Amino acid sequence: MNPIHTLKGDYFFHHDRLVYVNRASEDFEAPVHDHDFIEFAFVAEGTGFHHVGGQVHPIRRGQLFCIPIGIPHVFRPASADVAKHPLTVYNCVFSPALLGRLASFVTDPRLARFIGEWRDGASPYFYLSDTDDTIERLMLAMHREFSMPRGASSDYLDTLLIQLFIVVQRLKHDAPSASVRKFTQFDHLLSYMEQHLAEPLSLRSLAEISRWSERHLQRLFRQHTEQSFNSYLQALRIQKSCELLRSTALKIGSIAETVGYRDTASFLSVFKRIAGMTPGEYRKASLS
């Protein structure tokens, strides 16, 4: 298992500014990491996967991921060919100490409690969808203000962060509990796939495990990953093979078998189609 890197807020926060905002193009190079600050990450472009806390979630444009302190995670694009399949994420990271300052401006009891849970490390990891582009507009405004600061920039960023907390609290409170449970069950199924890549995986076998029909499962894959089951499974297997190519000295045939390909030729064909290069070329490029 690869070590988990810990990111420190001291690297990002300077001159009493306890918030940092950037726009990042995700790739396969970033390590799995945790951090001593809070992160709200918004998917601005593309699709891919979020590996978090031992699970894998499919991600798409318009999703916001709320990540507490100490939760190991990493974003990965759907393909190693990031030129054709980019994954762009806005990251808003901030110190829990900042939330104490923001709380003094809040009068609504539910919002104050919600901010307090994040400040005290009591909020779990969760994610939600931006239903009306409000979160995207706030993220764009925060990134613009952080990148091109003007007078009273810190105060302006604080007010935008309060607005973001209000929107997130409303969406989380108003989310239908039934749909949240169904999505969680689907996430568990995706985690099962990641943990059993070496085994034969099919819609039929997953239908038996989940007790959903094959037709309904195919609809869920389209809805939550914007891919068919077969496309998602191939991307997941190639993604895992990329990690093994970077982090191990296993032969390519062994890697193909580890991620579920019994025929090395098929693996090579799918890998080149998705990654845009052969496994050998990818390993060489990742080590250079």
Side-chain angles (χ1 to χ4, degrees):
M1 180 178 295
N2 294 331
I4 296 172
H5 296 247
T6 297
L7 303 180
K8 299 291 187 179
D10 293 344
Y11 179 82
F12 299 96
F13 309 137
H14 303 287
H15 308 298
D16 200 35
R17 175 182 280 184
L18 300 179
V19 61
Y20 174 89
V21 186
N22 75 345
R23 184 178 188 271
S25 297
E26 303 295 342
D27 54 31
F28 286 83
E29 303 304 320
V32 176
H33 60 275
D34 59 16
H35 32 70
D36 65 356
F37 47 80
I38 300 161
E39 178 178 0
F40 284 2
F42 178 78
V43 181
E45 180 185 7
T47 60
F49 305 94
H50 189 205
H51 297 255
V52 55
Q55 297 187 358
V56 58
H57 296 179
I59 62 176
R60 62 184 184 277
R61 182 186 180 279
Q63 288 181 319
L64 180 74
F65 293 83
C66 302
I67 307 158
I69 292 171
I71 301 294
H73 76 109
V74 71
F75 289 100
R76 299 294 191 210
S79 166
D81 187 353
V82 294
K84 291 183 179 179
H85 304 282
L87 176 62
T88 305
V89 176
Y90 282 96
N91 299 290
C92 174
V93 305
F94 49 93
S95 167
L98 175 60
L99 300 185
R101 188 165 75 203
L102 299 187
S104 63
F105 297 99
V106 173
T107 58
D108 181 82
R110 287 194 304 182
L111 179 60
R113 184 166 57 251
F114 184 61
I115 292 177
E117 289 172 353
W118 280 98
R119 179 196 61 212
D120 299 335
S123 179
Y125 159 79
F126 64 88
Y127 57 104
L128 41 79
S129 295
D130 185 16
T131 56
D132 58 3
D133 297 331
T134 301
I135 295 175
E136 182 174 23
R137 288 194 294 270
L138 284 170
M139 282 291 189
L140 287 170
M142 295 183 77
H143 181 251
R144 183 169 57 249
E145 189 66 29
F146 187 88
S147 302
M148 298 180 290
R150 293 175 286 176
S153 186
S154 292
D155 291 334
Y156 190 64
L157 280 169
D158 287 354
T159 63
L160 290 172
L161 186 56
I162 289 178
Q163 291 181 62
L164 182 59
F165 263 96
I166 291 172
V167 173
V168 171
Q169 192 271 334
R170 286 176 176 175
L171 286 173
K172 190 170 187 291
H173 180 266
D174 295 339
S177 58
S179 65
V180 171
R181 284 197 298 271
K182 183 179 290 185
F183 202 84
T184 300
Q185 290 170 358
F186 186 67
D187 282 339
H188 286 315
L189 193 65
L190 298 183
S191 296
Y192 175 88
M193 290 175 63
E194 186 183 33
Q195 294 162 13
H196 295 81
L197 280 179
E199 303 173 12
L201 292 171
S202 66
L203 275 177
R204 176 177 293 182
S205 64
L206 294 180
E208 292 175 356
I209 294 169
S210 65
R211 298 186 179 180
W212 284 319
S213 70
E214 293 180 41
R215 186 175 180 181
H216 183 60
L217 268 178
Q218 191 67 277
R219 284 198 298 266
L220 289 175
F221 274 97
R222 288 289 186 188
Q223 177 184 351
H224 294 302
T225 73
E226 298 182 351
Q227 301 177 73
S228 68
F229 163 74
N230 285 331
S231 294
Y232 179 87
L233 178 58
Q234 287 181 347
L236 189 62
R237 282 176 163 156
I238 298 307
Q239 180 188 26
K240 181 62 177 178
S241 68
C242 286
E243 294 180 4
L244 293 173
L245 286 165
R246 292 195 314 272
S247 61
T248 75
L250 288 172
K251 294 182 177 179
I252 290 173
S254 297
I255 290 176
E257 187 174 350
T258 299
V259 300
Y261 287 92
R262 300 295 175 261
D263 178 10
T264 303
S266 296
F267 169 71
L268 294 174
S269 175
V270 174
F271 189 99
K272 187 169 185 178
R273 176 171 56 81
I274 293 178
M277 61 183 76
T278 67
E281 290 169 341
Y282 179 87
R283 172 173 270 168
K284 184 177 179 179
S286 67
L287 295 177
S288 61

